[in-house]
Amino acid sequence: MGTAAAELDAAAITEPRLRQDYLLCRELHSRHGRTYFLATRVLPPARRPGVHALYGFARWVDDIVDEPEPGVSAAEQGARLHNIAEDLERALDGHAPREPVLRAVAHTAHRYALPSDHFRAFLRSMRMDLTVTAYRDLAHLREYMYGSAAVIGLKVLPLLGTVVPQQEAAPHAAALGEAFQLTNFLRDVSEDLHRGRVYLPEDVLASHDADRALMEHCAHTRTSDPRVRAALAEFVHINRALYREAQPGIAMLEPVAQPCVATAFRLYRAILDEIEAADYHVWDKRHRVSDSRKLAAALPALARSLWARAGPSRV
């Protein structure tokens, strides 16, 4: 709690209820986004609460869609998302929202002048998850990922700061958001099938004589099939191309923010290494980067961050 309180103090967040709202977001971040959370620890303390708020909001809404209470229907989930969207719109217009997570994220949105359209796009994609269970091709999937991933990168960008005009760094930030999400899709293929969803585009599967039924067989039997392995390998290739597209954006960030994003970049991309090393077997374990590998990435990044903080920079 001491570290969390120090972050809020550094960010000049003093109102007691708002501090509790940010602490809730921080707890969601630390519990559900371990890799992101570790990377955020490399940021200067004053910048961390805003990142916690954005992640906490995204995770809170995602759990409403992916982890509903028993007996909750899709219509009821949709109604909940509709109420959240209305409450968030009021909050972004300056009215006090009812939900703690919304109070924190609205405060962050106002503080950094984040566009309302980015939040609307995110909620649109979350509503898609209630009805869309497959994607025709990569273009169709990227329609979904614009709201679910690209705008996450765009929202975080003003919090991190740039040494170039923000619009120059924006395409790289959006690509990194998509790259992270594609890695999640590869890691979570079996879990998503259990939820009735396939994020791997149908045309990629079909080009390797694979389909949803074959993937469901792999998930059910926890065995690989060469056709599905080939499709997953192509998806990894697509994912790596997005990381290459995103990478130049790291140098466009303010020096104090670069180690944070570079750490997340390396750790998340390393999940692809784990998947490849397992010969694309994603059916009986959730591939993760080991704690020792995370520590090996985080410690040099922390040193670079401390060095950057010693120089002139805004917080």
Side-chain angles (χ1 to χ4, degrees):
M1 184 64 72
T3 300
E7 291 172 357
L8 294 170
D9 291 342
I13 298 169
T14 59
E15 197 275 314
R17 187 175 74 164
L18 188 60
R19 286 172 71 92
Q20 290 302 314
D21 299 336
Y22 271 98
L23 288 174
L24 172 59
C25 291
R26 188 182 192 275
E27 195 275 332
L28 286 168
H29 194 178
S30 66
R31 179 155 42 97
H32 295 290
R34 294 171 61 189
T35 299
Y36 294 135
F37 186 78
L38 176 63
T40 303
R41 300 283 296 142
V42 180
L43 281 174
R47 302 199 191 187
R48 296 174 199 165
V51 178
H52 296 325
L54 291 174
Y55 184 94
F57 167 69
R59 183 69 203 199
W60 176 64
V61 174
D62 194 58
D63 280 351
I64 290 170
V65 174
D66 285 347
E67 306 291 342
E69 294 291 328
V72 173
S73 68
E76 289 170 323
Q77 289 171 282
R80 181 82 191 279
L81 291 181
H82 176 76
N83 290 337
I84 288 171
E86 286 193 335
D87 204 14
L88 181 59
E89 289 286 349
R90 288 193 295 269
L92 295 175
D93 284 339
H95 303 286
R98 294 182 290 269
E99 298 280 0
V101 171
L102 293 184
R103 288 195 293 268
V105 81
H107 181 265
T108 292
H110 287 130
R111 184 171 198 166
Y112 293 97
L114 304 182
S116 300
D117 283 349
H118 290 168
F119 292 94
R120 296 185 190 108
F122 172 74
L123 288 168
R124 278 197 300 273
S125 288
M126 293 302 97
R127 285 192 290 270
M128 286 177 67
D129 268 334
L130 298 178
T131 57
V132 179
T133 60
Y135 293 85
R136 298 182 303 274
D137 50 33
L138 189 60
H140 187 203
L141 180 62
R142 291 188 81 167
E143 289 177 22
Y144 166 79
M145 289 199 303
Y146 173 73
S148 65
V151 298
I152 304 297
L154 295 174
K155 285 189 289 188
V156 171
L157 194 58
L159 281 67
L160 301 178
T162 60
V163 295
V164 300
Q166 203 170 107
Q167 62 267 26
E168 185 178 338
H172 303 290
L176 188 58
E178 290 190 2
F180 286 160
Q181 184 156 69
L182 285 184
T183 301
N184 281 339
F185 291 157
L186 283 158
R187 182 194 62 191
D188 299 339
V189 166
S190 189
E191 289 181 27
D192 290 330
L193 276 167
H194 181 71
R195 296 185 177 113
R197 302 188 201 125
V198 175
Y199 289 105
L200 275 66
E202 292 173 336
D203 65 336
V204 173
L205 291 170
S207 68
H208 298 284
D209 296 322
D211 58 15
R212 184 193 197 101
L214 184 57
M215 291 180 64
E216 288 174 342
H217 171 76
C218 291
H220 179 70
T221 61
R222 298 188 177 185
T223 58
S224 295
D225 181 280
R227 294 164 290 180
V228 175
R229 280 202 303 270
L232 291 171
E234 181 175 344
F235 211 56
V236 167
H237 177 75
I238 292 168
N239 200 169
R240 289 197 184 279
L242 270 173
Y243 279 112
R244 288 193 296 273
E245 183 181 339
Q247 190 164 15
I250 297 174
M252 298 178 183
L253 300 173
E254 287 191 1
V256 293
Q258 289 179 22
C260 166
V261 178
T263 299
F265 182 96
R266 284 195 300 273
L267 290 175
Y268 239 75
R269 190 176 58 177
I271 295 172
L272 298 182
D273 299 336
E274 300 293 325
I275 291 171
E276 287 179 321
D279 198 22
Y280 307 99
H281 188 87
V282 294
W283 311 111
D284 58 3
K285 66 176 292 187
R286 199 170 191 251
H287 292 283
R288 301 178 185 273
V289 177
S290 68
D291 289 342
S292 61
R293 191 169 179 180
K294 287 181 180 179
L295 190 62
L299 288 178
L302 179 59
R304 289 194 301 274
S305 176
L306 292 172
W307 179 264
R309 288 182 218 174
S313 174
R314 74 168 176 84
V315 295

